[in-house]
Amino acid sequence: MQAELTEYYVVTQCGRTFGWSDTDFDSLIRSLHFSGYTPVYIKPMSEYEAEVMAREEQERLMDEFRRQFDEDVRKSA
């Protein structure tokens, strides 16, 4: 039986970012250190992607709000 892999979003001390798959968090840390990387940020890829999507939606909403606000200010002037 093969262990199920989880994909992680990893940022290293040297500034590299990548997706890295491993069976669990401890194995991931060992694999990174064995490869010469010191991780500074690790998150499961699914959680990272959800955060990015939420941030992009928030930025879209803020942009929409700013445009509407500017338009309302121009109309009232």
Side-chain angles (χ1 to χ4, degrees):
M1 190 165 105
Q2 209 170 46
E4 194 171 316
L5 294 177
T6 302
E7 190 169 350
Y8 295 92
Y9 176 79
V10 179
V11 178
T12 64
Q13 191 173 25
C14 64
R16 295 192 66 180
T17 60
F18 33 62
W20 195 294
S21 298
D22 220 318
T23 55
D24 59 28
F25 191 79
D26 291 333
S27 296
L28 172 69
I29 298 295
R30 282 192 298 274
S31 296
L32 288 167
H33 282 290
F34 180 76
S35 298
Y37 296 113
T38 302
V40 293
Y41 180 83
I42 299 172
K43 185 164 278 215
M45 191 63 79
S46 58
E47 289 180 28
Y48 174 74
E49 288 173 343
E51 282 183 9
V52 168
M53 288 176 62
R55 187 173 33 244
E56 287 173 351
E57 178 63 11
Q58 183 65 34
E59 288 172 1
R60 186 191 68 75
L61 290 171
M62 286 301 296
D63 186 50
E64 185 179 309
F65 172 78
R66 283 186 202 109
R67 278 192 232 149
Q68 186 63 46
F69 180 79
D70 290 344
E71 185 178 311
D72 290 346
V73 168
R74 276 189 234 120
K75 285 181 182 177
S76 68

